[in-house]
Amino acid sequence: MPHAPLKNDLLLRALLRKPTPRTPLWMMRQAGRYLPEYRATRAKAGSFLNLCMNPELACEVTLQPLDRYPLDAAILFSDILTIPHAMNVGLEFEAGEGPKIARPVRTPADIDRLPVPDPEGELRYVMDAVRLIRRELNGRVPLIGFAGSPWTVGTYMVEGGGTKNFSHIKGMLYGAPDQMHRLLDVITRATTAYLNAQIAAGAQAVMVFDTWGGVLAPQEYREFSLAYMARIVEGLTKETEEGRVPVILFTKGGGAWLEDMVQAGADALGVDWTTDLADARLAVRDRVALQGNLDPSVLYAPPEAIRAQVARVLESYGRGHGHVFNLGHGIHPDVNPEHAGAMIAAVHELSPQYHA
Ligand code: CP3
């Protein structure tokens, strides 16, 4: 069945630097624990992983923030660790503790054992969720698909969970770079196939989350993170019968490397709050769109302060197209949902003047 035409295409237009009457916006982690309705659905699912693996419930939580706020995009409810999960490393999420991997990948033999999962096989539940969400959205807003960057996914696979020092993976990077490249290569092949399957299932834009690229030295960032994201961009389906499928790359802490990131061939770059959007725009010279970058902690302040900070972000990007408003990282779980509403209202109210 053909898809319903898009009623709100502001996000896709802005990602491709086409004119829009105002700045579109969505929030990283917009479906998440700050919403009571999300916590209720997760309780029904029994666990975070069950929620990800149940297409009906994943669809339900994807739509929750859209029912509450006038957002310009839906983002697939899932996680960047679905790929390692399908590679049989023994992923679990312990309540309040984050991801744990039972069999970390540390030796050449561990890397040899990793399969490239079939996106319509072991990961079919993700594609079923994409198909269902597209049907339920019925053209309301575009759906963003996503994956983690090979480097970021690799940190969880090698460390066995979250980490402060990145001791195992940096030991591998500096001590056995060939092995590091072999691991990143297999994750890259899996991720390219996975994102292309999301696009085939109906994702209208895709984003690569490089949460931990910023912990690398500049040369290592280019060799072990950016180069693999560039390979993914190169391997992606750029066009479907619905049109162009924009790609967003986001390296948290990557503000100094935006010029290098432009070379990777993405349509848009995510920027965190430690870089001024005016500086970012000078660095990319309108070759790509920019997404960001309100400090998520601004949402702890009262609505008037939130409005003033939204005004500063809009002013920093300045006049013209090619800006997608977002937080500089995921919304915090203990934020008052009304404060997110205040941010969104401020973008609607204050952004049209920059597009006149
Ligand atoms: O943005 C969205 O609404 C889409 C959903 C989404 C989730 N994870 C749901 C989630 C997206 C895009 C992600 C990406 C993700 N997952 C990243 C990259 C983006 C980022 O935030 O840096 C990373 C590093 C992960 C890995 C991950 N998943 C960690 C480290 C954790 C535990 C820490 C935490 O924030 O709880 C998760 C769990 C997770 N992923 C939750 C959600 C809503 C919370 C799980 C819960 O309900 O308890």
Side-chain angles (χ1 to χ4, degrees):
M1 218 177 55
H3 292 294
L6 259 182
K7 296 167 193 125
N8 172 349
D9 66 352
L10 294 183
L11 173 88
L12 300 181
R13 297 183 65 84
L15 290 174
L16 297 171
R17 290 172 296 122
K18 294 181 183 164
T20 56
R22 63 169 172 83
T23 306
L25 88 154
W26 65 281
M27 295 185 286
M28 288 193 265
R29 290 280 171 100
Q30 63 189 24
R33 285 163 294 181
Y34 74 107
L35 290 178
E37 56 270 35
Y38 168 83
R39 298 195 296 269
T41 309
R42 191 187 58 180
K44 195 161 72 176
S47 73
F48 171 68
L49 217 45
N50 284 351
L51 183 52
C52 289
M53 296 182 78
N54 181 317
E56 285 75 28
L57 295 181
C59 176
E60 182 179 309
V61 294
T62 298
L63 299 180
Q64 284 170 349
L66 295 159
D67 292 338
R68 229 187 224 264
Y69 311 113
L71 293 160
D72 298 300
I75 178 160
L76 165 69
F77 186 83
S78 189
D79 201 82
I80 65 167
L81 299 178
T82 51
I83 288 182
H85 182 245
M87 288 178 162
N88 305 313
V89 296
L91 172 71
E92 279 181 62
F93 281 88
E94 287 157 30
E97 287 199 30
K100 288 275 177 309
I101 280 170
R103 294 177 290 282
V105 178
R106 304 227 172 119
T107 67
D110 294 340
I111 297 170
D112 289 335
R113 268 195 293 277
L114 296 172
V116 172
D118 173 3
E120 289 288 357
E122 304 90 287
L123 289 163
R124 185 176 188 104
Y125 65 91
V126 177
M127 307 312 146
D128 286 340
V130 171
R131 287 183 278 263
L132 187 58
I133 295 163
R134 276 303 302 273
R135 202 169 346 122
E136 294 292 316
L137 276 172
N138 195 28
R140 227 191 322 172
V141 290
L143 174 63
I144 304 169
F146 73 92
S149 74
W151 166 257
T152 291
V153 170
T155 65
Y156 291 97
M157 291 176 73
V158 175
E159 299 294 332
T163 172
K164 270 211 176 74
N165 294 336
F166 299 86
S167 47
H168 295 285
I169 194 163
K170 287 204 174 180
M172 188 190 289
L173 183 158
Y174 288 113
D178 293 352
Q179 196 179 318
M180 188 73 258
H181 280 301
R182 263 195 331 116
L183 174 60
L184 293 169
D185 174 71
V186 66
I187 303 171
T188 298
R189 287 184 279 125
T191 304
T192 307
Y194 179 65
L195 286 174
N196 277 334
Q198 289 185 29
I199 292 167
Q204 290 147 294
V206 293
M207 173 153 166
V208 179
F209 287 87
D210 186 28
T211 307
W212 301 120
V215 306
L216 290 167
Q219 192 176 325
E220 280 68 33
Y221 170 71
R222 286 191 290 270
E223 179 176 347
F224 295 93
S225 186
L226 185 57
Y228 289 93
M229 291 197 283
R231 258 183 62 188
I232 291 171
V233 173
E234 197 188 307
L236 288 180
T237 307
K238 303 291 183 312
E239 190 96 30
T240 68
E241 64 231 359
E242 296 189 275
R244 275 285 302 279
V245 184
V247 188
I248 311 160
L249 298 184
F250 172 53
T251 294
K252 183 161 178 278
W257 306 324
L258 292 168
E259 285 226 59
D260 298 303
M261 293 178 77
V262 169
Q263 307 304 321
D267 300 281
L269 301 179
V271 180
D272 73 27
W273 65 95
T274 63
T275 296
D276 204 276
L277 281 184
D279 296 330
R281 201 173 173 188
L282 276 177
V284 305
R285 286 185 281 121
D286 286 323
R287 289 168 292 180
V288 293
L290 294 174
Q291 174 173 282
N293 69 344
L294 188 76
D295 179 351
S297 297
V298 165
L299 300 186
Y300 292 130
E304 311 77 72
I306 294 170
R307 190 183 138 90
Q309 294 297 324
V310 167
R312 279 184 49 180
V313 169
L314 291 169
E315 180 61 31
S316 177
Y317 186 85
R319 295 185 56 80
H321 310 298
H323 179 209
V324 174
F325 194 98
N326 206 316
L327 299 169
H329 197 210
I331 188 168
H332 294 304
D334 56 349
V335 155
N336 179 345
E338 288 179 19
H339 289 196
M343 175 191 82
I344 294 160
V347 175
H348 277 257
E349 185 195 334
L350 300 172
S351 72
Q353 60 187 297
Y354 293 96
H355 298 270

